[in-house]
């Protein structure tokens, strides 16, 4: 495995020349921290080129989050942060070790919400994995999503998104795997915070790997 610290990003590459499928990794409110870098390395160990994007670098975090929240509430599908992620996908796709036709995204909280919005208007994404993300607006945009594997805790304000997405994705015939984890709380996947839920984290990770193996890597037999 090779890792590179880039401008406003962190790249983890699998061993071998590739081309490898790629995953854009989008942080929660804590920014591009050690937890997100660790997730990038875990994905690289599974054969994916993983690019962790820092949406806050050089900016005021609170102001960035306010702009994203306002954009989401006003049903703006190109709200603050989405153009940056589209550019990040282009950056990852342009890497010589990456297969531009096989790129997905995973995001947590803020990142989970924004990748759901981003995927409504970017056909380059082949699958996304939102963790505790809010459903995008307008709701009819959901029917333009790529395949989705989503995970939510039962005790969270974002959990209702699972039902909204289930309805819209089913109506549109879009492949999806959505699950709510009883007893889990917001940020349950983050092993650096007190609410970390090992069972929910382990199960959701295996679901993501299996789903990405089929819809990103293109190997229906499951992850290597």
């Amino acid at each position: 495995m090779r890792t590179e610290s880039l401008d406003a990003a962190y790249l983890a590459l699998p061993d071998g020349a590739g081309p490898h499928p790629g995953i854009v990794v989008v942080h929660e409110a804590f920014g591009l921290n050690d937890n997100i870098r660790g997730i990038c390395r875990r994905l690289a160990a599974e054969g994916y080129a993983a690019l962790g994007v820092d949406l806050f670098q050089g900016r005021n975090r609170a102001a960035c989050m306010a702009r994203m929240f306002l954009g989401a509430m006003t049903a703006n599908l190109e709200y603050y942060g989405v153009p940056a992620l589209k550019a990040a996908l282009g950056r990852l796709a342009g890497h010589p070790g990456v297969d531009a036709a096989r790129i997905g995204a995973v995001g947590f909280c803020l990142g989970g919400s924004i990748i759901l919005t981003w995927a409504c208007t970017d056909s380059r994404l082949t699958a996304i994995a939102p963790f505790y993300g809010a459903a995008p607006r307008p709701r009819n945009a959901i029917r333009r999503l790529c395949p989705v594997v989503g995970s939510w805790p039962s005790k969270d304000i974002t959990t209702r998104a699972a039902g909204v997405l289930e309805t819209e994705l089913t109506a549109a015939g879009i492949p999806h795997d959505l699950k709510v984890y009883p007893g889990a709380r917001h940020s349950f996947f983050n092993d650096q915070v007190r609410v970390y839920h090992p069972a929910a984290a382990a199960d959701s990770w295996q679901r993501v790997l299996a789903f990405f193996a089929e819809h990103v890597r293109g190997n229906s037999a499951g992850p290597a």
Side-chain angles (χ1 to χ4, degrees), residues 40-59:
C40 290
R41 292 191 294 271
R42 289 175 69 180
L43 285 165
E46 297 290 340
Y48 297 93
L51 182 70
V53 181
D54 188 351
L55 296 176
F56 299 155
Q57 188 181 65
R59 302 179 179 92

Side-chain angles (χ1 to χ4, degrees), residues 92-213:
L92 182 60
H95 192 285
V98 175
D99 182 351
R102 296 187 294 160
I103 296 182
V106 59
F108 304 87
C109 180
L110 168 76
S113 298
I114 198 170
I115 67 169
L116 279 162
T117 301
W118 167 29
C120 291
T121 61
D122 196 336
S123 61
R124 296 174 298 171
L125 286 164
T126 59
I128 59 171
F131 280 76
Y132 20 95
R137 298 171 183 269
R139 298 304 192 211
N140 60 5
I142 294 171
R143 301 191 182 196
R144 302 200 298 268
L145 284 172
C146 57
V148 181
V149 52
S151 304
W152 290 266
S154 63
K155 302 178 179 180
D156 191 54
I157 193 173
T158 65
T159 304
R160 66 180 302 271
V164 174
L165 288 164
E166 180 66 44
T167 298
E168 298 297 337
L169 294 173
T170 298
I174 297 169
H176 58 281
D177 172 8
L178 311 179
K179 186 170 182 178
V180 175
Y181 290 94
R185 297 182 180 275
H186 197 81
S187 293
F188 71 77
F189 194 82
N190 188 340
D191 62 6
Q192 298 183 5
V193 298
R194 190 171 55 181
V195 295
Y196 174 61
H197 193 298
D203 183 76
S204 58
W205 180 248
Q206 291 306 313
R207 288 174 44 245
V208 168
L209 292 180
F211 200 84
F212 279 2

